[in-house]
């Protein structure tokens, strides 16, 4: 794998964990359930239960990406941590997922378009930025 391919695989895995935790909650939901903690626990379970041979540093990177906090890993670009759990502005794939899922389950259409939003963003100064013409799209998301 190239470094770029590997980073893409790690981000994809984070997205799968985020999506899977929503299903887990629907089946096993409880008042003590915490969103990010469940994703981290699920990751550990998936690795252990399937005997996946993965470096501890890579597991820590995946956990950091899920939690949106680069506390365990140094040297990574900050914007990568905003993809799955964006603490800067709350625009992340986790929000895309639950809005899409909830709208689908309620039989309604969302007024915002996550695909368009993704096509009109870029990284500037290590931060994910959106084109000004997407202000209404972002407004509709919230």
């Amino acid at each position: 794998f190239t470094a770029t391919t590997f980073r893409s695989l790690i981000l994809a895995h984070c997205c799968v964990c985020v999506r899977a935790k929503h299903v887990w909650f629907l089946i096993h939901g409880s008042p003590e359930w915490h969103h990010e903690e469940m994703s981290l626990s699920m990751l550990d379970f998936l690795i252990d239960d399937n005997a996946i041979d993965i470096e501890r540093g890579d597991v820590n990177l995946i956990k950091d990406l899920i939690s949106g906090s680069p506390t365990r890993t140094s040297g990574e670009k900050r914007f990568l941590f905003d993809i799955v759990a964006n603490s800067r502005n709350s625009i992340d794939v986790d929000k895309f997922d639950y809005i899409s899922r909830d709208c689908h389950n309620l039989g309604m259409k969302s007024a915002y378009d996550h695909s368009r939003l993704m096509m009109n963003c870029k990284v500037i100064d290590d931060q994910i930025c959106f084109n000004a013409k997407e202000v209404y799209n972002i407004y509709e998301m919230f």
Side-chain angles (χ1 to χ4, degrees):
F1 293 112
T2 66
T4 302
T5 302
F6 186 68
R7 291 294 182 252
S8 297
L9 289 172
I10 286 176
L11 285 170
H13 183 78
C14 292
C15 295
V16 167
C17 284
V18 166
R19 185 164 190 89
K21 77 175 179 259
H22 291 274
V23 174
W24 180 275
F25 175 69
L26 291 173
I27 297 169
H28 305 285
S30 77
E32 300 302 317
W33 184 83
H34 297 284
H35 194 71
E36 286 76 19
E37 291 174 18
M38 181 57 71
S39 292
L40 302 179
S41 296
M42 286 180 59
L43 175 64
D44 288 333
F45 174 79
L46 290 171
I47 291 170
D48 294 343
D49 193 56
N50 295 289
I52 297 172
D53 184 24
I54 185 171
E55 297 289 325
R56 180 54 39 196
D58 294 333
V59 172
N60 288 340
L61 174 59
I62 293 168
K63 288 181 175 185
D64 286 347
L65 291 166
I66 289 171
S67 67
S69 173
T71 56
R72 296 182 192 94
T73 309
S74 61
E76 296 299 330
K77 298 199 177 289
R78 177 65 180 104
F79 79 89
L80 292 173
F81 298 90
D82 293 338
I83 294 172
V84 178
N86 189 335
S87 60
R88 295 188 209 207
N89 59 26
S90 297
I91 301 172
D92 53 45
V93 295
D94 193 23
K95 185 178 294 304
F96 296 168
D97 176 58
Y98 73 72
I99 290 173
S100 296
R101 183 198 62 237
D102 292 352
C103 285
H104 173 77
N105 289 329
L106 292 171
M108 54 190 290
K109 185 168 173 19
S110 174
Y112 96 102
D113 181 356
H114 69 274
S115 298
R116 178 185 161 122
L117 191 59
M118 294 303 297
M119 294 300 293
N120 288 290
C121 72
K122 63 181 174 178
V123 176
I124 301 172
D125 295 330
D126 207 23
Q127 186 168 331
I128 300 172
C129 300
F130 301 94
N131 191 305
K133 69 183 180 184
E134 292 303 308
V135 68
Y136 182 72
N137 197 15
I138 292 170
Y139 174 78
E140 286 299 315
M141 183 187 323
F142 292 97

